[in-house]
Amino acid sequence: LLNTTNGCAREMQKKKEAPEHSLMGSAQYDVVAVFRELNCVLRAALRSLEERLMPPKVHLILDSCDGIEKIRSEFPAVRCVELASALPSIPAEAMAAIPPERKSWYQQQLAKLAVATSAEVTETFHMWDGDTIAVGDAMPARMPDSR
């Protein structure tokens, strides 16, 4: 996995050949991920997910779904959920206990969990960090012995 927190140096080498083998059995599991914006990191991450995991659906949580049609034209398996609509109702006193510099991170985690438990997401799924690109095979969602 390649962490791209500092942005795209290169937008991953355009469409590489498909890997010799993908994650065993992963093609039946959705992906849930938070991205800050529509950019080259998102495109590179989606390309890597498409090549490595082949999920039936990628549920993107974004601040705004404006412009998602352009992404869907390249990656039709994408579903966009706006962060504000994904957040569960949280009591103000609970949010007050979170340090201000961490609120955004907590909101993203809660939104991922809320989206992941919705009926539109497969029962088993991959939770993906939005600044991560798969450059090699990762562990399968289920091991050969069904664990």
Side-chain angles (χ1 to χ4, degrees), residues 125-143:
F125 57 90
H126 296 278
M127 193 72 76
W128 202 259
D129 282 339
D131 62 352
T132 305
I133 297 170
V135 294
D137 286 343
M139 292 294 294
R142 291 197 191 268
M143 301 300 287

Side-chain angles (χ1 to χ4, degrees), residues 30-31 46 50 54-60 71-80:
D30 287 354
V31 170
L46 289 172
E50 186 179 72
M54 296 177 279
K57 185 72 77 179
V58 178
H59 306 269
L60 297 181
I71 297 291
R72 278 197 193 116
S73 69
E74 193 175 345
F75 304 98
V78 165
R79 169 184 173 234
C80 185

Side-chain angles (χ1 to χ4, degrees), residues 42-105:
L42 171 62
R43 279 195 162 72
L46 289 172
R47 188 173 296 113
S48 76
L49 288 169
E50 186 179 72
E51 292 173 356
R52 298 289 175 180
L53 292 178
M54 296 177 279
K57 185 72 77 179
V58 178
H59 306 269
L60 297 181
I61 304 166
L62 294 160
D63 288 340
S64 169
C65 290
D66 292 342
I68 197 67
E69 296 76 25
K70 188 173 180 182
I71 297 291
R72 278 197 193 116
S73 69
E74 193 175 345
F75 304 98
V78 165
R79 169 184 173 234
C80 185
V81 179
E82 291 193 347
L83 180 65
S85 67
L87 282 172
S89 178
I90 303 166
E93 60 273 5
M95 287 304 285
I98 299 170
E101 66 275 4
R102 300 297 294 159
K103 281 187 183 185
S104 176
W105 182 85

Side-chain angles (χ1 to χ4, degrees), residues 94-115:
M95 287 304 285
I98 299 170
E101 66 275 4
R102 300 297 294 159
K103 281 187 183 185
S104 176
W105 182 85
Y106 275 93
Q107 288 175 331
Q108 290 175 9
Q109 304 317 304
L110 292 169
K112 282 194 284 191
L113 292 171
V115 169

Side-chain angles (χ1 to χ4, degrees), residues 3 8 10 15 26 32 37 55 58 71 76 91 105 109 124 128 144:
N3 186 289
C8 290
R10 273 186 266 169
K15 283 281 187 192
S26 291
V32 175
E37 58 187 324
V58 178
I71 297 291
W105 182 85
Q109 304 317 304
T124 301
W128 202 259

